[in-house]
Each structure stands twice: as C-alpha cells, then as structure tokens.
Amino acid sequence: MEKHSKEIKLITHHKKSFDKKAMGYAKLTPNAVQEVNLDESSLTPRMIKEIADDLGVEINDLIDRESDLFKNEYEGVDLSEDDWLKVLSEKSELLKTPIVLSEDESFIVDTPSRLLEFREKYFKTETK
C-alpha cells in the first residue's frame, strides 16, 4: 500500500469501538489521515502481505485471535501463509486493527493513546 510523506493510513473496522476511538486520536495529528474502513472495503492478499512486511511481522501476527470468528471457526486450524492471506482477505474481521501505516513508522495500535505518542514523535508542531 502506497504511503505518502506526513500522511497516516489507518486501517480500521467501524464496528469496533476501539477502532473508532483510535480514529479520533489519529485525527488529532496535524497531518492527513486516510482511513481504510474494512467494513466497507476489502484488502487483497497481496495488500495484506505488504502490510505485514511494512509492520515487520508474520501473517500469523495479523490474525485477531480474540475475535469470535477466529474462536468459532479457526482456532486449532492449521493453514499455510497463503491460505491465511486468502482468509484475511475474504474475512477482514479476522485482521487485527487498527493498523497505522506511514513513512515514519507502521504499527498495530494496542492502545489509542499510542497515536498521541506517535504524533509527538513525528509530527511536532513548530512554535514561533
């Protein structure tokens, strides 16, 4: 997924309150926030692989093992990386979100306030 200087790409699910909260924090940054809402759009297996590469994680690390869908349908199931990429593309609710992608840093948001730390680190506003 293409990234632009001083732009945040935030991958979310609007149905998750945690993701909505993270989006609120992301909008506090002085840069452009491009949201990818997985409730309305989908990612291809290739895009998911690129995200994993940007994050420096394995595909398995992108799976939301706490989701009901995982627990009901995939817990204990042994799939190859390619199979998981297809599943994550077709059932995006299994993807851990929110995910921040930027030129400076990419990460899975573990707490919405991490976006404030990110803002402080990379988007300090200059005072005159």
Side-chain angles (χ1 to χ4, degrees):
M1 298 186 84
E2 190 174 342
K3 296 176 283 194
H4 300 283
S5 180
K6 303 304 176 196
E7 177 183 90
I8 293 174
K9 189 168 294 216
L10 186 65
I11 301 170
T12 66
H13 287 99
H14 275 197
K15 295 176 184 174
K16 294 181 181 179
S17 62
F18 182 78
D19 289 23
K20 284 193 253 182
K21 195 179 286 188
M23 186 61 184
Y25 280 92
K27 287 183 177 179
L28 295 174
T29 62
N31 56 313
V33 177
Q34 179 186 5
E35 183 181 16
V36 178
N37 178 4
L38 296 178
D39 298 324
E40 297 173 355
S41 60
S42 60
L43 301 173
T44 65
R46 182 178 178 174
M47 293 166 85
I48 295 167
K49 176 69 172 134
E50 288 175 6
I51 290 167
D53 291 345
D54 282 348
L55 294 170
V57 301
E58 300 294 323
I59 299 305
N60 281 331
D61 297 327
L62 294 179
I63 301 166
D64 182 0
R65 297 178 188 285
E66 299 301 315
S67 73
D68 290 337
L69 179 60
F70 178 82
K71 290 176 182 177
N72 293 331
E73 294 184 29
Y74 294 97
E75 197 162 34
V77 174
D78 187 27
L79 296 176
S80 69
E81 181 176 291
D82 287 338
D83 289 338
W84 274 119
L85 286 169
K86 289 175 193 167
V87 168
L88 289 170
S89 177
E90 294 168 6
K91 299 181 180 186
S92 65
E93 60 268 32
L94 284 171
L95 189 67
K96 275 187 191 173
T97 57
I99 298 172
V100 169
L101 301 173
S102 80
E103 276 192 347
D104 298 308
E105 185 179 354
S106 296
F107 57 93
I108 298 172
V109 178
D110 49 359
T111 63
S113 61
R114 180 152 182 218
L115 288 161
L116 293 178
E117 296 166 13
F118 175 75
R119 180 184 75 174
E120 291 297 314
K121 187 173 180 181
Y122 294 109
F123 302 107
K124 291 185 186 248
T125 54
E126 295 182 21
T127 55
K128 295 183 179 182

